[in-house]
Amino acid sequence: MNATAQSKPRLTVVAHPLVEDCLARLRDIETATAEFRRAARLLTQLLLFEATRDLPLASTSVVTPLEAATVNRIRRPIVLVPVLRSGLAMLDTATDMFPDARVGFVGLERDERTAIPRGYYRKLPTPIDQAAVMILEPMLATGGSALASLEIAKADGARDLRLICAVAAPEGVRAVHERMPDCAIYIATLDRGLNDRKYIMPGLGDFGDRYFGTEPL
Ligand code: URA
């Protein structure tokens, strides 16, 4: 089977009471780092659960302690690409779920004045043309860093591209859809829009700072 994402919906807002509860905790300014991390990890799990629902399976057999059994294993290789730094927050959960996944990295830094991402590191596994490539980017704001990562993966041969985000702004979704129409986006919420500093409103603030505890005390 071809490794493409074309038959999937272009935008999936994952609906589940646990998703709502995680979002409530992540948005709340009163949520401390430990609880923010817990909610972010659970939300990542719920997003990835939905984003991988269509993965093809291959039938095989194992021997249980009692007899031989026919079982299904995920057939398509998985490549996880956290966008540094905040995407790292989603990586442990993702590798727990997909222990055989290969991991690539894209390092992008947002210029706080222009909001344009600057690339400082990239290392993707090869080949990736047969893999489901999951770009892990918690906040889809302008779409700049997500697009830069998607374009890097596409240039390296990726054909099944999936973008996994907690919170998205319509501007970011539009930008990705315009330039990467075959990328499937999975989000927990589509927020109102960006403010003049390109933060998502109402959003949850700076995801990386809140997850890694680097907010000024
Ligand atoms: N990155 C964040 O962490 N938060 C936003 O609102 C936008 C980009």
Side-chain angles (χ1 to χ4, degrees):
M1 186 193 284
N2 273 346
T4 66
Q6 270 157 7
S7 56
K8 294 195 297 304
R10 296 210 306 161
L11 178 67
T12 303
V13 184
V14 178
H16 193 285
L18 274 171
V19 169
E20 294 295 328
D21 193 73
C22 286
L23 272 174
R25 292 166 194 268
L26 292 170
R27 287 196 198 278
D28 189 345
I29 194 173
E30 300 294 336
T31 299
T33 307
E35 174 57 9
F36 190 91
R37 288 177 179 159
R38 190 202 64 80
R41 288 184 189 134
L42 177 54
L43 185 59
T44 300
Q45 200 168 27
L46 296 163
L47 291 169
L48 284 172
F49 185 80
E50 194 57 41
T52 54
R53 186 180 281 284
D54 66 319
L55 285 182
L57 295 169
S59 176
T60 181
S61 57
V62 296
V63 180
T64 78
L66 299 174
E67 63 173 15
T70 303
V71 294
N72 292 314
R73 307 291 305 262
I74 292 173
R75 196 177 68 205
R76 186 162 299 167
I78 306 283
V79 170
L80 303 167
V81 183
V83 180
L84 302 178
R85 161 183 78 147
S86 61
L88 285 178
M90 303 170 98
L91 184 60
D92 281 354
T93 302
T95 52
D96 279 351
M97 291 175 76
F98 303 100
D100 301 323
R102 292 174 295 154
V103 179
F105 293 93
V106 176
L108 296 160
E109 208 165 39
R110 182 165 110 136
D111 182 310
E112 287 302 329
R113 205 173 36 84
T114 62
I116 294 170
R118 183 189 67 85
Y120 62 89
Y121 185 75
R122 67 180 273 187
K123 177 107 185 152
L124 296 190
T126 54
I128 54 171
D129 58 311
Q130 294 303 311
V133 179
M134 240 79 72
I135 308 285
L136 308 176
E137 168 73 306
M139 304 298 280
L140 180 59
T142 61
S145 48
L147 268 170
S149 311
L150 288 163
E151 277 165 358
I152 288 169
K154 193 162 188 167
D156 281 10
R159 289 185 293 151
D160 177 349
L161 285 163
R162 304 170 191 225
L163 176 61
I164 319 296
C165 312
V167 180
E171 294 91 326
V173 171
R174 241 186 338 264
V176 172
H177 278 165
E178 273 167 18
R179 295 238 309 265
M180 283 277 166
D182 53 353
C183 172
I185 307 176
Y186 297 86
I187 60 177
T189 177
L190 186 62
D191 274 11
R192 191 173 72 245
L194 301 177
N195 69 7
D196 55 0
R197 293 174 54 223
K198 308 295 183 201
Y199 277 84
I200 301 173
M201 301 298 286
L204 48 75
D206 189 302
F207 186 98
D209 278 348
R210 295 193 65 195
Y211 188 93
F212 293 109
T214 49
E215 283 179 307
L217 292 177

